[in-house]
Amino acid sequence: MSLKRLMLTTVILLLLGAGGSWGYLKFFKQEPPAFRTAVVSRMDLQETVLATGTLQAYKTVEVGAQVSGQLEKLHVELGNRVKKGDLLAEIDPVLQENALKEALAEQDNVNAQIKAQTVLLEQYRKEYKRQEELIRNEATSQSEFDAASAQYESSRAELAALRAQLKKAVIAVDSARANLSYTKISAPMDGVVISIESDEGQTLVSAQTASTILTLADIGKMTVKAEISEADVTRVKAGQEVYFTTLGEPDKRYYAKLRAIEPGPTEESTGSASTSSTAVYYNGLFDVDNRDGRLRVGMTTEVTVILNRAEQALAAPVAVLREASPRQGTQVDVLESGRPVSRAVRLGLNDKVHVQFLDGVREGDELLLHSLQTAEGSTSNARRGPFGGGPRPGGRP
């Protein structure tokens, strides 16, 4: 019995010692602090501006009727490709044919009057010459000479007036012929029919403005009109590289150069009626090749304007940065031998997700993360575009 008691006591003591050790390790021993870190590595960085754009045809022409009449025949359909000079439509030519006949008749009438006046003028000239000879020989009176002279000069003036009428009649004939030619409407350029505004049988009236029949567009090259916010437009300029994606092909990028920025702004109202505000944007224009016809007029695009780029730069997430102080500048915490050490750094390009280090850290350094802020978090207050990702439009990624 004494041996059993001894063994039982030993087991109890061992269990109590193990429990005490576990309790000490669990509640009293301090674990070394765990840090969330990011490693400084090399990567390509870009500083960009985002904008939402719309695809437009590089050149668009509204083909209209220059004369009034009924649209007799339409030779094209929506989506047809046409060449310059192809016949697009015909207007009933009856009115223009009659106008040409009237102009030709008036021209013939003036020509006949000119012939008659020419014969009469020759008669009056001969009489004037005869009276001039007689007056020198004092064989006629002064009054008869004056009458012959006046008749001759009047006839010359009437012939000059008729010749002026003939010029007017010729112009009227030319105008009538031109109006008759306008009843056959030809394509002014190569392009695609993107809209048809008038149907066969419709009466077209062009008394004040030309009635639009259809619209042609040159879609071999497209123009993107991107809305750039007033906060970013001062950093954007012509010649900068841009690329865009479309809703249908979000992974395909189309690259181009920014051609121009329109000087005048566009305004867009946001918010409810009680808290409405106006956002100001400036249209940036650039062109892209579309010979394969994949891009369509009116498509929405997400445009990225590249302001600066850095290749294989030393960089880390922006969350490693500590709040800058006036004295020490921007600092980061570098993990050395398990302990954080503060270092002053000099920064370069910042794309709001990663930041470039120009000085203060080396490749492979472990930096403490001070924030979980991401690019999406940094733009959480921005208006979001149709692509669901970045600001709309003109925000920075």
Side-chain angles (χ1 to χ4, degrees), residues 103-326:
L104 288 171
E106 178 63 23
Q107 183 180 1
D108 291 342
N109 179 42
V110 175
N111 276 323
Q113 292 183 54
I114 288 175
K115 288 181 181 180
Q117 189 63 33
T118 301
V119 173
L120 191 60
L121 178 63
E122 180 61 20
Q123 179 183 346
Y124 289 152
R125 188 189 69 80
K126 290 179 180 180
E127 178 61 22
Y128 169 71
K129 291 297 183 182
R130 191 178 70 85
Q131 288 293 329
E132 190 178 38
E133 183 67 25
L134 291 174
I135 196 67
R136 279 199 298 267
N137 296 326
E138 296 181 354
T140 185
S141 64
Q142 184 67 37
S143 60
E144 289 183 357
F145 172 76
D146 292 342
S149 176
Q151 201 170 36
Y152 173 58
E153 293 297 331
S154 176
S155 181
R156 287 178 62 186
E158 288 180 9
L159 182 59
L162 288 173
R163 285 173 176 163
Q165 288 183 29
L166 179 61
K167 291 180 180 179
K168 185 178 179 181
V170 170
I171 293 173
V173 170
D174 291 342
S175 298
R177 282 204 176 98
N179 287 335
L180 180 58
S181 69
Y182 293 152
T183 60
K184 295 183 182 296
I185 301 170
S186 301
M189 67 173 191
D190 296 350
V192 176
V193 180
I194 62 172
S195 70
I196 295 178
E197 311 296 336
S198 303
D199 299 321
E200 291 183 1
Q202 183 175 339
T203 300
L204 306 175
V205 180
S206 60
Q208 296 180 345
T209 58
S211 302
T212 301
I213 298 175
L214 54 87
T215 302
L216 286 180
D218 177 8
I219 60 173
K221 182 163 64 172
M222 303 291 283
T223 296
V224 178
K225 181 177 287 189
E227 293 183 330
I228 302 172
S229 73
E230 60 177 324
D232 294 322
V233 72
T234 55
R235 303 189 301 145
V236 177
K237 59 185 178 181
Q240 288 176 330
E241 184 180 357
V242 297
Y243 65 84
F244 70 91
T245 59
T246 61
L247 285 169
E249 296 179 305
D251 297 326
K252 181 176 176 57
R253 290 182 177 182
Y254 296 84
Y255 288 86
K257 294 285 187 180
L258 194 64
R259 170 162 54 89
I261 300 174
E262 293 181 352
T266 61
E267 296 183 354
E268 181 176 329
S269 297
T270 59
S272 62
S274 59
T275 60
S276 62
S277 61
T278 301
V280 178
Y281 303 96
Y282 294 83
N283 290 324
L285 307 177
F286 61 92
D287 307 316
V288 61
D289 183 79
N290 188 42
R291 282 173 289 187
D292 58 1
R294 296 176 69 89
L295 301 175
R296 304 295 181 89
V297 174
M299 279 185 171
T300 302
T301 62
E302 184 176 71
V303 180
T304 301
V305 183
I306 301 175
L307 304 179
N308 295 298
R309 64 169 77 241
E311 297 181 353
Q312 291 300 296
L314 284 176
V318 293
V320 302
L321 300 179
R322 290 170 55 184
E323 187 174 352
S325 65

